[in-house]
Amino acid sequence: MSHLVNNFADGLIRAGVVFPFVRWCNPGNSQEKRAEHFNRVKKYGVEKRSQVGIGRWYARLEANRPKEEKVYDEFNNTYKEATYTYEQLVADDIRAIREYNNQLHPNQKLYPGLTRWEVLCRYQNPNLAPVDKALLYRFIGEEVRTSIRRSKYCRVHYEDYALPSPELIGRLAPNDYAVEAYYLPDEQGNVPEVYIYQHGAYIATCCRIEAYNEATAEQTDKDREAYAEQAKYNAQFDAMIAREKIRRVRLLPGDIPAHEEPEIVEAIPAALPEAAEGFDFGIDYAALAKQEL
């Protein structure tokens, strides 16, 4: 699988970014690649049974090669091979993955009656660290260049996403509101939140602004909740402006007492060490040295 993650060696897969320790398997050593065994079960099990014609042309067994139909013509060297669109291949592979995950777990003695997917969901390691989506989506998510508008929100695919706090505007570069938004849609295609960066630095997680009905008589609890969230941000922004606005110049009162004159202390020369006796401070010894040269 090195060819799949090699492009992320200096980013996502670098030790300390997402995983505290990363070990690369030695090339050519299939015994280290434990995931290859599961890939083989899926490839020569579900895929071979459900995806007709899928195979490797260089496979040793003819049964594992793509199906070919020879055309008997004057050339006697023509073959027909099935072709597939990109959408068809992706749909077939997703179907095969779901069928593989919903099969019974191979260790039924330990997990009786549970499928592979159920074992994965129920028996995850409780010591796993939570995934930092803001970091992960920067490498595997969708990217859109946008900008912060009205010091409040950014627009991504015709949807508005608000900053969690107006104080975060201070993280932006001076006079630069352009940002990069990263996100990953869910299974229904919705994007509940985006993660914005500027020049590679993380700024904030922006949640989608929910629209509300402005007619008070027709508002529901959901409308009033959406209105309260937007009003809360506006109140925080007004408070920040009032707190950091430029103050008027004030004149100091004239009855401030003047500073007292500093006390003058007469310097007393310290006694010269014995090695300095006979040294005349009135003679420019540097000038004499130049004359002698």
Side-chain angles (χ1 to χ4, degrees), residues 138 145 172-173 176 178-180 197-203:
R138 187 185 173 195
R145 294 190 59 85
L172 301 176
D176 186 4
V179 294
E180 300 85 32
Y197 284 75
Q198 186 181 65
H199 308 307
Y202 171 70
I203 302 299

Side-chain angles (χ1 to χ4, degrees), residues 125-180:
N125 188 345
N127 299 323
L128 291 178
V131 177
D132 187 356
K133 293 183 179 180
L135 175 63
L136 183 63
Y137 286 9
R138 187 185 173 195
F139 294 95
I140 68 173
E142 303 288 341
E143 177 184 0
V144 174
R145 294 190 59 85
T146 181
S147 60
I148 303 299
R149 303 184 181 186
R150 302 179 62 181
S151 302
K152 181 179 181 180
Y153 67 92
C154 62
R155 175 161 292 183
V156 178
H157 287 314
Y158 311 105
E159 295 282 352
D160 295 335
Y161 296 84
L163 291 170
S165 171
E167 303 288 345
L168 296 173
I169 301 175
R171 296 185 181 182
L172 301 176
N175 300 324
D176 186 4
Y177 291 91
V179 294
E180 300 85 32

Side-chain angles (χ1 to χ4, degrees), residues 185-212:
D186 57 15
E187 295 182 355
Q188 289 74 30
N190 301 320
V191 182
E193 58 189 9
V194 298
Y195 307 91
I196 59 174
Y197 284 75
Q198 186 181 65
H199 308 307
Y202 171 70
I203 302 299
T205 300
C206 300
C207 296
R208 183 172 54 196
I209 299 178
E210 300 294 341
Y212 62 90

Side-chain angles (χ1 to χ4, degrees), residues 245-251:
K245 69 179 182 179
I246 301 177
R247 305 293 180 180
R248 295 183 60 182
V249 178
R250 295 186 299 110
L251 298 177

Side-chain angles (χ1 to χ4, degrees), residues 6-198:
N6 189 41
N7 295 333
F8 304 104
D10 296 329
L12 177 66
I13 308 299
R14 188 175 72 246
V17 176
V18 176
F19 307 102
F21 177 76
V22 177
R23 183 182 184 280
W24 295 85
C25 295
N26 296 323
N29 188 357
S30 59
Q31 295 180 355
E32 279 193 307
K33 305 173 184 179
R34 300 300 303 174
E36 292 292 343
H37 302 289
F38 301 102
N39 293 336
R40 179 181 179 86
V41 174
K42 171 180 171 291
K43 181 177 295 293
Y44 294 104
V46 178
E47 288 187 9
K48 185 178 178 181
R49 184 176 62 255
S50 60
Q51 294 179 259
V52 180
I54 296 298
R56 297 184 179 183
W57 60 270
Y58 54 84
R60 290 181 296 179
L61 296 178
E62 184 178 356
N64 296 329
R65 300 174 191 168
K67 304 300 180 183
E68 295 180 346
E69 181 181 352
K70 185 175 182 180
V71 178
Y72 295 93
D73 53 9
E74 64 274 12
F75 302 103
N76 199 28
N77 193 27
T78 306
Y79 296 88
K80 287 184 179 180
E81 295 183 5
T83 58
Y84 306 89
T85 63
Y86 174 79
E87 292 75 13
Q88 184 178 358
L89 289 175
V90 172
D92 290 344
D93 199 45
I94 292 177
R95 185 171 60 252
I97 292 174
R98 290 177 177 174
E99 182 180 349
Y100 174 81
N101 289 334
N102 291 322
Q103 290 179 346
L104 291 177
H105 194 274
N107 192 349
Q108 285 296 297
K109 184 177 180 180
L110 183 61
Y111 307 108
L114 298 181
T115 63
R116 292 186 173 94
W117 187 255
E118 290 174 342
V119 172
L120 175 64
C121 296
R122 296 185 186 182
Y123 297 95
Q124 292 187 12
N125 188 345
N127 299 323
L128 291 178
V131 177
D132 187 356
K133 293 183 179 180
L135 175 63
L136 183 63
Y137 286 9
R138 187 185 173 195
F139 294 95
I140 68 173
E142 303 288 341
E143 177 184 0
V144 174
R145 294 190 59 85
T146 181
S147 60
I148 303 299
R149 303 184 181 186
R150 302 179 62 181
S151 302
K152 181 179 181 180
Y153 67 92
C154 62
R155 175 161 292 183
V156 178
H157 287 314
Y158 311 105
E159 295 282 352
D160 295 335
Y161 296 84
L163 291 170
S165 171
E167 303 288 345
L168 296 173
I169 301 175
R171 296 185 181 182
L172 301 176
N175 300 324
D176 186 4
Y177 291 91
V179 294
E180 300 85 32
Y182 298 91
Y183 65 95
L184 195 63
D186 57 15
E187 295 182 355
Q188 289 74 30
N190 301 320
V191 182
E193 58 189 9
V194 298
Y195 307 91
I196 59 174
Y197 284 75
Q198 186 181 65

